[in-house]
Amino acid sequence: MNILLIGSGGREHALAWKIAQSPLCERLIIAPGNPGTAHHGENTALDTGDHAAVIAFCHSNRIGLVVVGPEAPLVAGLSDALIEAAIPVFGPTRAAAQLEGSKGFTKDLCREHAIPTAAYARFNNAPKAKAHARVQPLPLVIKADGLAAGKGVTIAATLAEALSAIDDCFEGAFGAAGAEVVIEQFLTGTEASFFCICDGATALPFGTAQDHKRVGDGDTGPNTGGMGAFSPAANLTPEIEAEVMARIIRPTLAAMAARGTPFTGVLYAGLMLTAEGPQLIEYNTRFGDPECQVLMMRLKTDIVAVLLAAAEGRLADVSPEWHAAHALTVVMAAKGYPGTPSKGGIISGIDAAEATGARVFHAGTGIMDGALVATGGRVLNVTAMGATLAEAQAAAYRAVDCIRWDDGFCRRDIGAAWTR
Ligand code: AMP
Ligand code: GLY
């Protein structure tokens, strides 16, 4: 079958690498892809915002499955357009993608179905939001309602910070995403990422991971899209996973189906493991980036068989197999990230890094005058396996140290809190 994969990040390079290994995949096309995905299929410059163009492309290339990587095309309704054109797609409809596209939508759904999550209130203007913030205990969490690339959340330790985060949202720091604001109570605990593949009716647990959201070592500095991850999560037990399925995932899937907007695709629960049990921090409706990279390294089963089963409503018959080994990925980012990254720096040493046994997934890279250069904030994901988390970590950093890139940086402590 011919497969079209949408996206251009490290997540999509990992998916392309895994999809290309499937005996079910005859031809893989990635739109737009990156220099890494070009090793596993054909990159194409297709405007994925132009749904009619995507449908025409699928017809002329006899595409049997579209896999949507990032959230923006989902929230923009690409899956709806493909479903209407009878083209199989892995990824939720616009209505189902609201679980990621609107934090307020998800919080209301949790309240209605008693799904454990932080207490909250929603606001569409600054004066009311500020009046609320003034009477809440600190710290307080201020969130832009819509998509903000992982940057729309402020943990305010003081009232002044909370008020200024509210101003930022309503003054347009996150564009339309900030027209509505959610104010939440701060939860204490450790975080875990829990993934399920869903077909509308069935949720299939599909691996766990821990992300590192802050830019600096020791979890300091601003939030990013993620600076490194490992899998499996070190803080989830089978008992907690069963509780997450029973109290969070299954009620969500049932609620979405009951609303007439069944959820198909990846349901990614960001969890806080608190003294009172697991609580939902947020949902994403796609694979995590960089969590996908570590999941794909550990997945034994043919990913295409799983994605097709989800798209066709057959997930109840699927049981994925995983390597017992641990996987860990270190994100190499361009100096300046998560602010304005320094672009154009030349990168070398990828072959040497991969000769150690690691895998280097590309994110923001490009080719200029024959050289590999940085074109974005998060640029490379250096990913390795090991019998233990500590071994995976050592292997990943051995590979990181083979890469030469003057404008790059990475955290040196991915996984460290769990290997000491
Ligand atoms: P989100 O984009 O909603 O996942 O939030 C980004 C990060 O902010 C999370 O990974 C947490 O580290 C932190 N965060 C969000 N909401 C809360 C909360 N209610 N309590 C504590 N930390 C939070
Ligand atoms: N790494 C966090 C995310 O993909 O949302």
Side-chain angles (χ1 to χ4, degrees):
M1 126 178 342
N2 296 341
I3 298 173
L4 174 65
L5 170 63
I6 310 278
S8 66
R11 167 182 49 213
E12 286 75 27
H13 185 183
L15 286 171
W17 169 72
K18 190 70 188 165
I19 289 171
Q21 294 171 44
S22 167
L24 296 171
C25 178
E26 281 167 51
R27 189 171 164 221
L28 173 62
I29 305 172
I30 310 99
N34 64 38
T37 63
H39 291 293
H40 311 293
E42 307 151 47
N43 288 350
T44 184
L46 176 63
D47 175 4
T48 55
D50 181 346
H51 296 171
V54 176
I55 290 165
F57 182 91
C58 289
H59 285 144
S60 58
N61 290 280
R62 295 183 301 106
I63 297 294
L65 177 66
V66 180
V67 180
V68 185
E71 58 276 23
L74 296 170
V75 170
L78 179 57
S79 294
D80 307 62
L82 290 166
I83 290 165
E84 196 159 312
I87 298 165
V89 56
F90 180 79
T93 60
R94 186 205 311 248
Q98 279 191 91
L99 284 173
E100 172 160 7
S102 167
K103 292 183 187 294
F105 171 84
T106 297
K107 296 297 284 191
D108 287 354
L109 187 112
C110 287
R111 177 179 282 167
E112 209 174 307
H113 298 276
I115 294 168
T117 191
Y120 73 103
R122 299 175 73 169
F123 299 95
N124 58 16
N125 68 76
K128 284 202 171 132
K130 288 182 177 177
H132 174 80
R134 285 196 174 88
V135 295
Q136 293 300 309
L138 293 165
L140 203 51
V141 186
I142 315 293
K143 299 185 174 184
D145 181 76
L147 297 181
K151 295 162 197 162
V153 174
T154 303
I155 313 283
T158 64
L159 179 61
E161 277 176 67
L163 299 180
S164 110
I166 291 168
D167 279 334
D168 283 350
C169 287
F170 287 113
E171 284 165 11
F174 307 108
E180 188 176 323
V181 166
V182 173
I183 300 185
E184 283 182 19
Q185 265 170 26
F186 181 77
L187 297 171
T188 309
T190 62
E191 286 182 54
S193 304
F194 187 93
F195 298 88
C196 286
I197 305 260
C198 305
D199 67 3
T202 300
L204 179 70
F206 204 69
T208 64
Q210 278 174 268
D211 193 11
H212 294 64
K213 290 228 163 76
R214 302 294 191 100
V215 73
D217 282 14
D219 292 331
T220 52
N223 265 335
T224 68
M227 293 300 291
F230 60 83
S231 172
N235 53 358
L236 284 172
T237 60
E239 292 71 31
I240 302 177
E241 291 188 30
E243 193 179 348
V244 172
M245 288 300 293
R247 299 191 61 201
I248 299 179
I249 302 287
R250 286 199 202 101
T252 302
L253 218 65
M256 293 303 283
R259 294 172 66 92
T261 56
F263 185 89
T264 300
V266 179
L267 188 59
Y268 156 3
L271 302 173
M272 187 72 84
L273 308 185
T274 71
E276 287 78 45
Q279 306 247 349
L280 181 72
I281 299 175
E282 64 158 0
Y283 275 129
N284 296 308
T285 59
R286 46 159 178 94
F287 279 114
D289 187 347
E291 293 97 317
C292 185
Q293 289 78 314
V294 283
L295 291 184
M296 290 305 116
M297 292 286 275
R298 294 189 53 240
L299 181 65
K300 269 196 210 165
T301 303
D302 177 356
I303 183 80
V304 176
V306 178
L307 302 181
L308 260 183
E312 294 170 355
R314 295 184 285 103
L315 266 186
D317 307 331
V318 177
S319 39
E321 288 182 57
W322 302 89
H323 294 286
H326 297 248
L328 184 141
T329 188
V330 178
V331 171
M332 298 186 76
K335 284 179 188 160
Y337 179 76
T340 307
S342 134
K343 293 189 185 169
I346 293 179
I347 301 165
S348 64
I350 303 236
D351 290 347
E354 293 203 322
T356 67
R359 200 155 278 293
V360 179
F361 294 116
H362 291 235
T365 65
I367 307 284
M368 216 186 352
D369 301 330
L372 186 70
V373 298
T375 58
R378 295 189 294 169
V379 174
L380 298 173
N381 308 136
V382 183
T383 314
M385 304 268 283
T388 62
L389 179 58
E391 282 174 35
Q393 182 193 45
Y397 280 108
R398 249 193 321 276
V400 163
D401 291 335
C402 297
I403 291 174
R404 299 280 158 260
W405 172 29
D406 289 344
D407 294 337
F409 75 97
C410 66
R411 278 182 62 163
R412 297 296 313 189
D413 67 343
I414 302 305
W418 301 90
T419 52
R420 281 188 201 113

